[in-house]
Amino acid sequence: MTDLWPALPEALHDPVALAVPFFVVFVAVEALAAYLLKDEGPDGFAGYERRDTVASLTMGAVSVVTMTLWKTGGLVVYAALFAYVAPWQLPVEAWWTWALAIGAVDFLFYWAHRVAHRVRLVWATHQAHHSSEHFNFATALRQKWNNSHELVIWAPLPLLGVPPALVFFGFSVSLVYQFFVHTERIRTLWRPVELVFNTPSHHRVHHGSDPEYLDRNYGGILIVWDRLFGSFQPELHRPTYGLTTPVGTYHVLRLQTHEYAAIARDVRAAPRLRDKLGYVFGPPGWRPAPVAPAAAA
């Protein structure tokens, strides 16, 4: 039986942390391109507004710390499941284990992402990423600070013998890939690529607040999950980015927590337990059905 502790340090070599300098370079290049192409708006470069960009970069910097803390705690649990509960242990040195881990994490990411849009309590953690009314490489760094629900959804992988280090490696590969789909500078790619992979066109739809774009295109690396499970939507026009109800602030703590506060207000005001539960576990925007007046005797 594999010892618990040697499994722990491996996943701490995070590809996302190694990619951060490259992310910063791409943000700078995209902003410079907007400046040189003279397509700047009244508040900044096209797709770049100073306060919005600072908020995105700040949330991204903090998320590196919070994600490390969540992953470290998750890694201890995953290593215990892998070492003491899994009926078998896949070989970490086999290429197919790496491929399986990346594919399985991407499949589970689709469902974690879909849950994040359909369960309000989880949406409260994810909505910060959608709060920008711009769509650019800086928006990709506007990450949530609470990864707890993803850790729960990935738990079947170490239970099925996937080494914990590879679970987190698969997620890091997904995050690095997804950085590059946050841009308006690329319209569409070669049709076979658009058919199989998540692309800037597909992900622009996901960030749109237009009715036809809401809750669509959840895929991380592959868009085939959306095509298979009925959540795919092609890009028909330039999306309106941001939340359906704009937050109206650049304060990063408020951006991360305002939906939790809204849930608490709704729960306090709800008279019935079923309504309280609906406000927590129903989809964003859920409201109880109006109570019909009692019929006259």
Side-chain angles (χ1 to χ4, degrees):
M1 184 71 70
T2 301
D3 189 16
L4 167 65
W5 298 108
L8 294 181
E10 300 176 33
L12 300 180
H13 304 290
D14 189 355
V16 173
L18 297 175
V20 166
F22 299 96
F23 293 164
V24 174
V25 169
F26 274 91
V27 169
V29 168
E30 187 180 47
L32 179 62
Y35 174 76
L36 293 177
L37 293 171
K38 307 299 183 186
D39 53 356
E40 55 192 278
D43 296 320
F45 306 142
Y48 279 86
E49 193 276 329
R50 182 183 58 81
R51 294 169 298 174
D52 181 83
T53 301
V54 169
S56 294
L57 296 179
T58 301
M59 284 194 278
V62 175
S63 76
V64 172
V65 178
T66 58
M67 188 182 299
T68 299
L69 295 175
W70 282 108
K71 287 171 65 175
T72 300
L75 191 57
V76 174
V77 176
Y78 284 6
L81 295 176
F82 176 75
Y84 303 127
V85 182
W88 54 75
Q89 296 166 351
L90 302 181
V92 71
E93 69 278 2
W95 69 266
W96 54 266
T97 304
W98 291 67
L100 176 65
I102 293 172
V105 167
D106 193 59
F107 174 73
L108 292 178
F109 175 87
Y110 168 85
W111 289 107
H113 200 178
R114 189 162 180 164
V115 167
H117 280 255
R118 302 305 300 157
V119 177
R120 191 182 181 194
L121 181 63
V122 187
W123 170 247
T125 73
H126 182 61
Q127 55 77 34
H129 180 62
H130 285 263
S131 59
S132 176
E133 296 179 21
H134 302 271
F135 189 80
N136 50 48
F137 286 141
T139 306
L141 304 179
R142 182 177 284 230
Q143 291 294 318
K144 61 182 176 290
W145 297 348
N146 182 349
N147 297 90
S148 56
H149 92 284
E150 292 170 332
L151 295 176
V152 173
I153 288 179
W154 298 335
L157 297 182
L159 272 172
L160 293 174
V162 177
L166 297 192
V167 176
F168 290 108
F169 176 80
F171 182 57
S172 293
V173 169
S174 177
L175 283 182
V176 172
Y177 179 91
Q178 289 181 65
F179 172 85
F180 294 100
V181 300
H182 288 80
T183 184
E184 292 193 278
R185 294 293 167 186
I186 298 173
R187 301 313 306 165
T188 56
L189 299 174
W190 186 39
R191 184 171 176 79
V193 174
E194 295 280 341
L195 183 66
V196 175
F197 292 96
N198 190 17
T199 66
S201 177
H202 299 326
H203 204 59
R204 285 193 291 269
V205 167
H206 179 70
H207 275 255
S209 59
D210 313 272
E212 62 271 31
Y213 288 166
L214 287 177
D215 300 331
R216 297 291 178 178
N217 297 3
Y218 298 113
I221 297 175
L222 300 177
I223 203 67
V224 292
W225 310 126
D226 290 280
R227 296 185 186 278
L228 286 172
F229 299 115
S231 54
F232 177 72
Q233 170 63 49
E235 186 177 29
L236 304 175
H237 56 82
R238 185 175 185 266
T240 302
Y241 300 113
L243 302 172
T244 54
T245 302
V247 185
T249 182
Y250 297 102
H251 191 288
V252 295
L253 187 58
R254 200 168 301 140
L255 287 168
Q256 290 284 342
T257 62
H258 75 93
E259 186 64 15
Y260 292 111
I263 292 174
R265 287 194 299 270
D266 287 338
V267 168
R268 282 197 303 268
R272 300 180 300 177
L273 177 60
R274 60 187 295 182
D275 296 341
K276 294 179 186 294
L277 294 175
Y279 280 124
V280 175
F281 298 108
W286 179 90
R287 291 291 181 270
V291 178

